[in-house]
Amino acid sequence: MALSRPAIPLPPHARGGGAVSVRREEDFELPAHATAVAEARERVWGQLCSWGVPEGLGRTAQLVVSEFFTNAVVHTDSCLIRCRLRVCSELLRIEVCDEGGDCAEVVPRQAAADDVNGRGLQLVSAVAERWGVRPGVHEQGRVVWAELSLTVR
């Protein structure tokens, strides 16, 4: 049995024409330190709760943001990491932008059974409708993004 979920209301300035209306959008940036991962999770949780996003989706979004922030902190020389949350149509889009070097392809690693790390992007692949990587602003760094469904499957 499918559960019905109330729609996330459009703010007054977003109502009206256009093929896709942005219902909600929020940006934040944090220093690229290990402590930023937990802070990013908390900011995402607080923002999504204030928008009325269901708890399960909020927890999934925290997992995605945690993975993306961790990779940016560990694998780039970034000073700042930026995050954008956007609710459009039936999707929550999460974008995390680092200041790293080139926009090399990001591929989930095949972790061995006894590896402690290396499963994060596999988890993202499992929970996201789709995800990917694109060059950052002025081709600097990269933006790793994921889209999560707002509808119950």
Side-chain angles (χ1 to χ4, degrees):
M1 178 173 143
L3 301 173
S4 87
R5 176 177 302 151
I8 299 170
L10 289 168
H13 67 277
R15 293 186 183 120
V20 176
S21 295
V22 173
R23 296 180 182 190
R24 303 277 194 213
E25 187 171 313
E26 179 67 26
D27 299 277
F28 64 89
E29 61 183 34
L30 296 170
H33 300 176
T35 58
V37 177
E39 187 172 346
R41 278 194 306 266
E42 290 307 309
R43 289 186 75 163
V44 166
W45 177 252
Q47 187 61 59
L48 295 180
C49 284
S50 77
W51 288 347
V53 169
E55 182 178 348
L57 179 60
R59 296 296 182 201
T60 300
Q62 283 185 300
L63 179 144
V64 170
V65 166
S66 182
E67 174 58 22
F68 289 173
F69 261 78
T70 298
N71 286 346
V73 168
V74 172
H75 299 295
T76 74
D77 293 328
S78 300
C79 293
L80 284 174
I81 302 169
R82 293 171 185 80
C83 182
R84 170 173 285 161
L85 304 172
R86 187 178 344 167
V87 175
C88 293
S89 300
E90 299 299 318
L91 295 171
L92 167 62
R93 184 174 174 99
I94 300 166
E95 297 180 351
V96 174
C97 180
D98 64 46
E99 300 171 323
D102 63 8
C103 183
E105 185 177 356
V106 177
V107 179
R109 204 173 89 183
Q110 295 299 320
D114 59 345
D115 285 348
V116 175
N117 299 317
R119 292 175 187 81
L121 291 176
Q122 291 176 354
L123 289 171
V124 171
S125 291
V127 300
E129 295 295 312
R130 61 184 171 242
W131 71 277
V133 182
R134 65 176 172 78
V137 178
H138 307 297
E139 305 295 318
Q140 295 296 311
R142 79 190 110 237
V143 177
V144 183
W145 58 269
E147 292 177 340
L148 306 177
S149 176
L150 293 172
T151 60
V152 176
R153 294 185 201 180

